[in-house]
Amino acid sequence: MVSISFNPYTWHSTKERVNSDVLVLNLKNDNSEMLEVSSLDEEIVIVVPLKPQTPSKEKSWYFIKKDELRFHEINVTHKNTLLILEILPQDPTVHLLVYMRFGQRPTTQEYDLNATISHSGNCVWKPTAQGKKEGETECSLNPLTPIEALAKRPGKYYLGFLSVVVKDTPVSSAVYDSKTYQNYTLKVALGSCVFWSDKHEMWITTGCQVGV
């Protein structure tokens, strides 16, 4: 396997989807003959570190009004796109409740993903393969750890934010923010898995998807 620090295939418009080093991986048999790979029983996992990128949506601060959901819209143009969300409240006493939903605005009861974010870390709930009734929660003590979610379908993804202030009481006793407004940052970046097709002379996604 060879890593190239630049994209050598730039003559098709799909080059815009490449934002990492390009890996050249050739699979060969015992006679050093190239193997044609298709219809695998198990996936091949390849780890490609992402280059630092300019978020596609960035603003210094957004504000949220007490007891009201604040919404953001993310437009995804390709299937199997990785959403990378960096979210942090300005006030260290504030916890942000974040909800994401495909196709329409989420509510506190209807969502595809939810997260609790604060200066002490974040926890993210995602549904399992069995469906929305079952899910898994992952937590990080690093508040700068981004939330990663796989957008399997192109279309509009909506984020809903709600602020909670934690008093000098246990977290379980948290109450909704008593102030008028709270500020937070939101940065959104998009990623995808593509490979160069010699047959089509373009970057394609067939059989390739981003793992989360």
Side-chain angles (χ1 to χ4, degrees), residues 26-35:
N26 295 321
L27 300 180
K28 301 180 180 181
N29 60 20
D30 294 338
N31 296 321
S32 296
E33 298 171 336
M34 295 288 293
L35 293 175

Side-chain angles (χ1 to χ4, degrees), residues 57-59 62 72 86-87 161 184-188:
K57 181 177 182 182
E58 180 176 2
K59 187 176 179 181
Y62 293 95
H72 299 272
E86 295 182 16
I87 305 166
F161 289 73
Y184 61 93
T185 56
L186 168 64
K187 301 177 183 179
V188 179

